[in-house]
Amino acid sequence: SRSPLVDWYLHELGAEWQDRGVAGNPNPFGSVPCLRDGAIVMFESGAILLYLADRFGALSSPRRRAEAYKWVTWANASLDPICFVETPDGKVYDTQLKGNPRGMSVLEGVLASSGPFLGGDEFGVQDVAVASYLLFVPQFFPQIDLSKWPCVSRYMLACVRREAYGKAFGPETQAFLTRVCEGYVAAGG
């Protein structure tokens, strides 16, 4: 489930919410994450993230909306299949990150010129979407070495160190991924 990434953003926003699990889930596909906000029902992690960013005022200008939409959409449509190769029934069995996929080279270049986050010095919803996928990879593939992308490695480390990440994913996951990302950074320069 990608529910923890939605939880991460809710923690970043300082929003209050109730986790109701899968009981009474209004998602027509029966999967999580799913969000109910009054009469509004949202499903799909990217759609939920964008809704929350809009709902809590983080997308206050056309420029901010454009930045968020392009990166959250890219994370779901393009980064996901780079990070996770799945069987037809959705089981993850490999990652394209063992090679050098073009999307990662582009992301490396963007981060080299943008600063610590996709929005420069400002962390945003787009970082939750992109960093979540990247940070899931070493959990599925503990032997993967992402140090060949030093800017991406520093980005992952900056994101995993966020207090809200630890609240959403738990201290053990945060500690494990912090060590992994520190290793990537040390090896990649």
Side-chain angles (χ1 to χ4, degrees):
S1 161
R2 293 189 176 97
S3 294
L5 72 96
V6 172
D7 295 354
W8 178 12
Y9 193 54
L10 286 163
H11 284 295
E12 291 285 352
L13 292 169
E16 293 185 22
W17 81 96
Q18 291 181 319
D19 184 348
R20 299 203 175 156
V22 294
N25 183 350
N27 182 337
F29 298 101
S31 60
V32 292
C34 182
L35 176 117
R36 181 188 303 273
D37 184 14
I40 297 170
V41 173
M42 297 292 302
F43 57 90
E44 291 300 320
S45 61
I48 293 169
L49 289 175
L50 291 171
Y51 171 78
L52 290 170
D54 188 47
R55 168 84 165 70
F56 287 92
L59 303 180
S60 58
S61 71
R63 184 193 65 76
R64 285 179 180 254
R65 282 189 292 280
E67 287 299 311
Y69 292 174
K70 72 184 178 187
W71 284 112
V72 172
T73 302
W74 181 78
N76 285 29
S78 299
L79 184 58
D80 182 7
I82 290 171
C83 294
F84 303 107
V85 180
E86 298 180 356
T87 63
D89 63 338
K91 303 261 190 291
V92 172
Y93 71 92
D94 205 357
T95 178
Q96 292 186 53
L97 295 173
K98 292 175 183 173
N100 192 19
R102 181 179 177 278
M104 288 300 291
S105 298
V106 172
L107 180 60
E108 178 73 10
V110 167
L111 289 168
S113 64
S114 73
F117 303 111
L118 291 168
D121 291 331
E122 186 178 338
F123 182 88
V125 66
Q126 62 271 20
D127 297 301
V128 171
V130 172
S132 290
Y133 281 105
L134 294 170
L135 291 165
F136 280 135
V137 172
Q139 295 177 69
F140 278 80
F141 305 101
Q143 303 308 316
I144 194 80
D145 181 3
L146 303 182
S147 65
K148 59 187 162 188
W149 298 294
C151 295
V152 171
S153 297
R154 286 190 296 274
Y155 171 71
M156 291 170 65
L157 182 58
C159 290
V160 78
R161 285 180 168 164
R162 295 185 68 81
E163 181 181 349
Y165 184 91
K167 288 179 179 178
F169 287 86
E172 294 87 13
T173 298
Q174 185 177 36
F176 165 73
L177 290 172
T178 298
R179 285 190 305 275
V180 167
C181 293
E182 288 171 343
Y184 296 160
V185 170

